[in-house]
Amino acid sequence: MTRLLTRSFLRFILRAPFSSVSVFLGVLLGVASVTGVHLLGAQVNASLDGLRPPHLERVTHVATRQDLDVHHYAELARRLQEGSLAGVVRLAPLMEGTLADGTRVVATDWLGGGAVGIAAGVRADVEVDLQAAVVRGFDGRAEVCEPLQVSGRTIPVIGTLPASELTDDAPTLFVDLGLGTSLLGVDQPLQAVLLEARSPTQQLADGLELLMPGMSAGLSPPALPLGDGWQVHDVQTELAGFGLARAVLFNVGALGSLSLLVAVLLMYQTCVIWLRRQRDILARLMDIGVPRAALAAGFLCALLLLGGLATAAGLLAGQGLAQALLAQLAVPTASALALTATVVIKALASGVLVCLFGGVVAWYFEWRPRHRRVRGAAWFTALAIAAASGWLLSRTDGLIGVFAVILLVAGLVCWMSLPLLDTGRRFTERLRGSLLVRLALREATWYSGDLALAVAALALALGVSIGVGLMVDSFRREFVAMLDTRLQADLYVTADTSVADAADWLAGQPGVRRVALYGDAEVRVEGQPVSVGYGAFDAAEARRYGYPRALAANEVLASERALQALQRSVGDVATVGGVPLTIVGSFPGFGDAGLRLLLSVDGAARLGFAIDYRRIGIAADDPSSLASALAARHPTWTITNQQIMRGTAIRVFDQTFLITEALTALAMIVAAVALFNALGGMRLNQQATSELLDVLGLNRVERLTIDFTRATTVGTVALLLALPLGLWLGWVLCSEVNPRAFGWRIDLTLAPAAFVTPLVSGAVAVLLAGVLGVPGERRGRLA
Amino acid sequence: MSAGAVRLLGVDKAYDDGGRKHPVLAGFELAVPAGERVAVCGPSGSGKSTLLNLVAGIVRADAGSVRVCVRDDNGERDTDVHTLTQAAAARFRRRHIGYVFQFFNLVPTLTVEENVLLPLKLNGRMDLWPQSLDRLRTLKLGERLRAFPDTLSGGERQRVAIARALAHEPDVLLADEPTGNLDAANSALVADLLFGEAERLGKTLLIATHSGSIAERASQRIDLG
């Protein structure tokens, strides 16, 4: 029976080639978007995993405390053995430091479980020796088993770890804690205790990560209380760039799902149209005893067959999309991205979800008893959902909470399309003016069931496009403003060695107006790694970071990320290396994945830093000549012109948002197809009226007036929904998503430019959908 | 010919039926003097609707000529409907033809008043609205002017359709089985109305029907098939 009915439904679907192609295209693009984003995320994740420091392999948390020493670690180890550290399966102490020759030393307890990632570098034919090192970044100076001369000492080498091309790795020795203490000195404190914890939340995060790369960034890190005095951070604090990249992936993943959501609406709308056309036949079949369940099964099977083909095509299209986006983002990839079982299953699940959800919901609503819609209840429910969203937004602190709210509000907007069109009906019934306009307006609002979800799809795509556009535009403005303020010098120099000696020579060059020296140091503040920049922070220098006065020795400027991570505000005190510093200002560190503090050179000296300038900013009348002269004197230095630096920064910024544009464009295409399909379907359903008007002698212009008015009405309703959604989404992205994901807040700017592209493309989509005829539109006779 | 006269000469019309030509009219000849009321009879598929559609310029003959004498601002003239472009045929229908169907006669999203106003607005003949309004009142539709078609009975819908077909005072009134969907009482009412108004206004009426009683009221009867 089901096979027979499936065949019957398939024949019907194939005889409606336009809507079938629309559905095929919608599922294809939805699956392509999800698959493409998954492959892209998996590739970025793989690249990130390749960059993960080996001593942090499988580490989930980092614990620190004031005056941390080996006794504290031993106490934790004892508690672990006793089983009183819930969820913790492994821990290791971490000692880091830099030798006089610049070699970095990372020491962990190899016997106590600190060698998990490091062991991968040990040669198979070599026995582990606690007095030997595994090395990285020695550029061939370290041959396996040949001792290495470091700071006057001979260190046996038992393995090498590959250096990363993407990180600026100093030569590093990975050693056991004993050798580390010996190399760095007995006074060297422990920096942290590394923990590997397994908890249901962690397993959920891992599962989600498999489902959608980057999704774990959406969860608030699971808390791991160790007791009094301990501060426990998620390992992401050690891998700031990873957290940032995963947050980007999460955002992109959420945006990638938009096309799938729009495809569900397209499927639903098309199913409604198909079922309406088949309603009489289906009713007769039920009258003669065909079970409704069998009819539903046949309908869904036919949808799944069509959806299955589209899914297969979407999978391949997604692979191409990922490849193209990765090429644009300059992420290193294998020649062809692998379609793993996870990707195939995810694509299939996405395709099946679109078909089943769209089909089942359409079937349910087509056959349920019809009631008069209660508009008051609809508006009340809308208010309730809006209130619930606000409450949820205020109660959650992770990204998933925000996106749950976004999904809720997006669902609300979709659902509101129906009561809004119904409200329009009451208005158009009393309308005066041109008869043809009245007719078109009423057609658009009376047959809300034929159009509502397509309108919702368009509103959703438009709203997201406006919201994302507003955020990107606001972000770009702030980014450019930051560059304008920050890039005061004409030339920037970075070097591997001290640049202090060049200062006098530079100051003596003709046309040089200012020479500023900068140095950097890495410290831990409350257990979290912080990059500290120092220099002569006079008033001019401080103004680059939005602070009007010179920095005193006890004052510090903090990046927004640092303020968020350290849970401080401007005016608070942060203790750095035991020295209290007042945070007098904050600055947006866009693109800076880590936490950053800025202080004067006096302040740096107060903290006991060895002042070592590695960067110079130069203001000069003739930067080109000076750059040439400088390059001749110091060929190994990197000298960058301000204009080039600015251009590169803006290009990288724009490149970052290419993927956003691509995904919103995909969603817009699916929405346009949905609307084209719905308007075409409506025109077919109104064929009798159309033919009557033909008989009455309507000319082409008058017909176009009707089509245009109908399309404009639909577009206006979509716009009425999309504008508030877009504005709200722009605000949420700037004020909630950005601070939660990246640690910086963006002031929302309502620039007209952010509206232009979505509105113009939306208008074009609506007008084309409204005015273009549906291929295969049949003309029958009236009678 | 005077305004309203219809003449078909050697008209051939066939429909494509799955790649095979299915002839409906072959060498068909018809001459209807102005003001005549003609019943077009015949079994289903004999070409009754096709004949009316040919006269209205909705379908085009494969061969022959379809001439309708119409009156416009320049006086009376013969129009060869067969040679009109699509746009010209639409203009011709708009001005000179009134059409009543069996089903789907009214635009569902326009009220009774608006449905009747539509041909007047399209022709720029709002001066005829008072007569149309009188006609609607005569047809007992004066209280239903603001009603939408889905709230009307079948008989009421056909009365509105006739009022709309007559509103712009067309030269030719075409009715395609207008009583086919009505009970006996309403059929009689609609037939009275069509024949009565056509006679009163001196309009040519071509009515396709299966009903013998309606055919008997016509001044001329054409049997197809």
Side-chain angles (χ1 to χ4, degrees):
Chain A
M1 172 73 89
T2 304
R3 188 181 293 183
L4 186 70
L5 291 169
T6 303
R7 208 180 303 154
S8 163
F9 275 115
L10 265 182
R11 282 184 190 136
F12 166 73
I13 287 172
L14 294 176
R15 279 178 196 160
F18 179 74
S19 45
S20 305
V21 168
S22 305
V23 163
F24 185 88
L25 201 61
V27 176
L28 186 156
L29 292 176
V31 170
S33 180
V34 168
T35 311
V37 165
H38 184 101
L39 286 169
L40 182 138
Q43 190 67 34
V44 172
N45 258 352
S47 302
L48 288 175
D49 286 341
L51 300 176
R52 194 181 181 98
H55 62 288
L56 296 181
E57 191 71 35
R58 291 189 359 217
V59 170
T60 57
H61 293 78
V62 177
T64 57
R65 62 180 299 150
Q66 193 108 32
D67 303 324
L68 176 65
D69 60 27
V70 287
H71 302 296
H72 293 119
Y73 161 63
E75 170 66 12
L76 279 186
R78 185 187 61 74
R79 286 170 61 190
L80 176 64
Q81 276 188 335
E82 286 173 356
S84 61
L85 283 182
V88 178
V89 294
R90 181 172 70 92
L91 52 81
L94 172 68
M95 180 188 283
E96 283 179 295
T98 306
L99 300 177
D101 65 354
T103 301
R104 192 165 160 245
V105 177
V106 176
T108 52
D109 180 5
W110 284 11
L111 293 179
V116 169
I118 297 159
V122 178
R123 267 182 59 158
D125 57 343
V126 174
E127 277 193 24
V128 173
D129 175 1
L130 295 184
Q131 291 303 311
V134 174
V135 301
R136 186 173 77 174
F138 276 87
D139 296 335
R141 282 192 287 139
E143 293 299 325
V144 172
C145 297
E146 284 188 13
L148 195 68
Q149 292 296 321
V150 178
S151 292
R153 289 188 56 165
T154 303
I155 311 287
V157 175
I158 55 169
T160 55
L161 287 160
S164 161
E165 290 175 11
L166 296 180
T167 53
D168 182 22
D169 280 330
T172 306
L173 297 177
F174 293 95
V175 297
D176 179 56
L177 198 60
L179 178 57
T181 308
S182 162
L183 285 168
L184 295 168
V186 287
D187 296 336
Q188 182 71 18
L190 284 186
Q191 266 77 40
V193 176
L194 310 176
L195 302 153
E196 181 183 348
R198 290 277 118 200
S199 65
T201 318
Q202 191 67 42
Q203 284 164 344
L204 174 70
D206 291 347
L208 289 176
E209 196 64 25
L210 194 69
L211 195 67
M212 188 174 105
M215 200 160 176
S216 62
L219 293 171
S220 301
L224 189 65
L226 291 183
D228 285 345
W230 284 101
Q231 292 168 323
V232 185
H233 306 289
D234 186 76
V235 73
Q236 300 290 344
T237 57
E238 302 289 315
L239 309 161
F242 287 41
L244 198 75
R246 292 228 157 92
V248 170
L249 285 184
F250 179 80
N251 288 338
V252 166
L255 194 56
S257 309
L258 176 67
S259 293
L260 198 70
L261 187 61
V262 176
V264 170
L265 299 177
L266 163 66
M267 177 62 89
Y268 170 82
Q269 190 69 77
T270 309
C271 287
V272 165
I273 293 168
W274 282 346
L275 287 173
R276 200 151 298 164
R277 283 191 208 152
Q278 289 276 287
R279 191 180 169 86
D280 290 343
I281 297 164
L282 296 176
R284 297 290 172 276
L285 286 171
M286 284 182 211
D287 288 346
I288 62 170
V290 179
R292 183 177 293 184
L295 286 169
F299 180 63
L300 293 176
C301 284
L303 287 185
L304 285 173
L305 281 172
L306 181 68
L309 287 173
T311 301
L315 194 59
L316 297 175
Q319 196 182 22
L321 177 71
Q323 202 96 43
L325 289 173
L326 285 166
Q328 285 292 325
L329 296 173
V331 174
T333 55
S335 54
L337 292 168
L339 293 177
T340 58
T342 310
V343 180
V344 174
I345 290 169
K346 187 173 173 178
L348 275 176
S350 303
V352 168
L353 172 87
V354 172
C355 296
L356 284 187
F357 192 80
V360 167
V361 177
W363 182 275
Y364 169 75
F365 281 108
E366 192 57 29
W367 293 104
R368 72 168 184 169
R370 286 171 195 276
H371 302 292
R372 182 81 189 145
R373 287 186 196 104
V374 187
R375 290 193 196 92
W379 291 108
F380 176 78
T381 311
L383 275 176
I385 291 176
S389 303
W391 179 81
L392 193 59
L393 200 61
S394 67
R395 300 286 296 181
T396 60
D397 56 359
L399 267 181
I400 279 192
V402 187
F403 279 95
V405 170
I406 290 175
L407 202 61
L408 202 62
V409 173
L412 171 70
V413 166
C414 292
W415 181 63
M416 285 310 292
S417 61
L418 202 58
L420 199 62
L421 282 168
D422 281 348
T423 305
R425 175 182 178 140
R426 280 191 299 175
F427 167 71
T428 57
E429 280 177 7
R430 300 191 208 102
L431 201 67
R432 303 284 94 192
S434 160
L435 276 181
L436 298 183
V437 170
R438 270 187 246 179
L439 186 154
L441 284 172
R442 285 176 192 162
E443 280 194 350
T445 52
W446 279 31
Y447 306 106
S448 51
D450 290 356
L451 279 178
L453 267 286
V455 169
L458 183 69
L460 194 59
L462 260 180
V464 171
S465 190
I466 291 171
V468 171
L470 278 173
M471 186 275 287
V472 173
D473 198 71
S474 305
F475 194 177
R476 200 175 195 281
R477 275 165 194 272
E478 293 210 5
F479 187 71
V480 170
M482 181 190 83
L483 291 179
D484 290 344
T485 320
R486 204 70 61 78
L487 297 178
Q488 295 287 325
D490 298 299
L491 285 179
Y492 288 91
V493 176
T494 53
D496 291 336
T497 53
S498 173
V499 295
D501 293 345
D504 290 341
W505 178 84
L506 279 168
Q509 295 304 301
V512 172
R513 300 189 304 278
R514 180 180 165 84
V515 177
L517 298 174
Y518 308 103
D520 296 289
E522 301 297 324
V523 295
R524 279 183 182 271
V525 180
E526 295 171 7
Q528 300 192 59
V530 175
S531 158
V532 179
Y534 54 83
F537 263 90
D538 55 12
E541 193 64 36
R543 267 198 294 275
R544 291 176 57 211
Y545 296 90
Y547 187 64
R549 295 192 313 274
L551 282 184
N554 64 342
E555 290 178 339
V556 67
L557 298 174
S559 69
E560 287 179 346
R561 272 184 78 81
L563 283 184
Q564 189 193 44
L566 299 172
Q567 296 180 316
R568 295 289 200 284
S569 307
V570 172
D572 289 350
V573 172
T575 304
V576 182
V579 178
L581 296 169
T582 305
I583 302 168
V584 292
S586 70
F587 58 92
F590 298 139
D592 192 347
L595 316 184
R596 188 146 174 89
L597 297 178
L598 298 172
L599 51 116
S600 66
V601 69
D602 294 340
R606 242 181 110 218
L607 295 179
F609 293 169
I611 304 302
D612 181 15
Y613 295 118
R614 300 287 179 103
R615 297 182 286 123
I616 320 175
I618 309 157
D621 294 338
D622 184 3
S624 301
S625 305
L626 186 66
S628 305
L630 202 54
R633 274 178 72 91
H634 302 283
T636 58
W637 289 7
T638 306
I639 303 158
T640 315
N641 185 299
Q642 186 227 70
Q643 291 302 323
I644 293 171
M645 194 179 255
R646 195 174 188 283
T648 306
I650 290 176
R651 196 177 62 249
V652 168
F653 180 94
D654 289 339
Q655 217 169 19
T656 309
F657 287 102
L658 264 179
I659 185 166
T660 314
E661 286 174 20
L663 293 176
T664 46
L666 261 186
M668 278 293 284
I669 292 171
V670 181
V673 170
L675 192 69
F676 193 16
N677 194 21
L679 279 171
M682 196 179 95
R683 280 216 297 250
L684 281 178
N685 290 345
Q686 300 300 313
Q687 202 171 352
T689 303
S690 171
E691 284 167 6
L692 181 58
L693 295 172
D694 202 19
V695 168
L696 288 173
L698 255 67
N699 59 36
R700 189 179 289 270
V701 174
E702 286 156 347
R703 287 183 159 280
L704 270 175
T705 305
I706 293 177
D707 289 340
F708 180 82
T709 310
R710 196 164 40 200
T712 308
T713 311
V714 167
T716 307
V717 173
L719 191 66
L720 281 176
L721 293 167
L723 268 181
L725 174 67
L727 287 169
W728 176 82
L729 192 61
W731 173 79
V732 166
L733 289 172
C734 287
S735 307
E736 295 292 337
V737 173
N738 266 282
R740 291 174 197 224
F742 312 119
W744 53 67
R745 176 181 286 272
I746 300 165
D747 288 332
L748 179 67
T749 312
L750 297 180
F755 295 89
V756 171
T757 311
L759 292 188
V760 168
S761 47
V764 169
V766 165
L767 292 180
L768 285 180
V771 173
L772 287 182
V774 177
E777 225 176 64
R778 290 190 307 274
R779 288 211 169 276
R781 57 178 209 166
L782 284 169
Chain B
M1 293 206 302
S2 53
V6 176
R7 181 175 293 169
L8 277 75
L9 294 169
V11 169
D12 291 346
K13 181 64 191 172
Y15 288 109
D16 198 19
D17 185 13
R20 284 169 52 192
K21 287 281 182 190
H22 173 69
V24 180
L25 299 172
F28 186 76
E29 306 271 342
L30 174 69
V32 180
E36 195 85 353
R37 290 167 297 286
V38 179
V40 183
C41 302
S44 297
S46 60
K48 299 188 295 296
S49 298
T50 302
L51 174 58
L52 300 192
N53 286 344
L54 281 166
V55 174
I58 295 170
V59 295
R60 187 177 284 223
D62 299 331
S65 80
V66 179
R67 292 182 165 276
V68 179
C69 184
V70 295
R71 183 187 292 114
D72 58 19
D73 297 341
N74 302 320
E76 290 184 355
R77 62 181 168 83
D78 252 10
T79 300
D80 189 351
V81 182
H82 178 61
T83 60
L84 294 177
T85 61
Q86 212 171 349
R91 276 198 302 276
F92 165 77
R93 267 198 306 280
R94 169 194 290 221
R95 176 66 194 91
H96 304 293
I97 301 291
Y99 215 135
V100 182
F101 300 97
Q102 182 178 358
F103 304 111
F104 309 122
N105 261 308
L106 304 177
V107 179
T109 47
L110 296 180
T111 60
V112 167
E113 182 184 34
E114 290 167 341
N115 263 288
V116 178
L117 269 171
L118 189 57
L120 299 181
K121 294 252 185 190
L122 288 174
N123 285 295
R125 295 294 311 271
M126 285 304 291
D127 56 304
L128 295 174
W129 174 235
Q131 288 94 303
S132 297
L133 198 55
D134 284 345
R135 189 177 291 117
L136 283 167
R137 287 186 182 128
T138 309
L139 297 174
K140 298 187 171 51
L141 291 164
E143 303 296 314
R144 311 300 311 270
L145 293 180
R146 298 287 165 85
F148 284 96
D150 61 349
T151 62
L152 302 178
S153 69
E156 283 176 321
R157 283 183 210 181
Q158 287 305 66
R159 277 183 272 153
V160 177
I162 293 166
R164 190 203 54 216
L166 290 166
H168 58 298
E169 297 189 347
D171 296 306
V172 179
L173 192 57
L174 303 171
D176 192 356
E177 301 188 33
T179 60
N181 200 34
L182 300 177
D183 56 37
N186 270 310
S187 289
L189 197 67
V190 164
D192 285 348
L193 186 61
L194 267 174
F195 281 98
E197 286 294 292
E199 189 170 0
R200 191 173 68 79
L201 297 168
K203 301 296 176 191
T204 304
L205 170 68
L206 266 72
I207 181 166
T209 183
H210 287 290
S211 164
S213 60
I214 288 177
E216 279 172 12
R217 299 180 63 166
S219 52
Q220 188 183 339
R221 174 180 173 133
I222 301 162
D223 283 298
L224 298 175

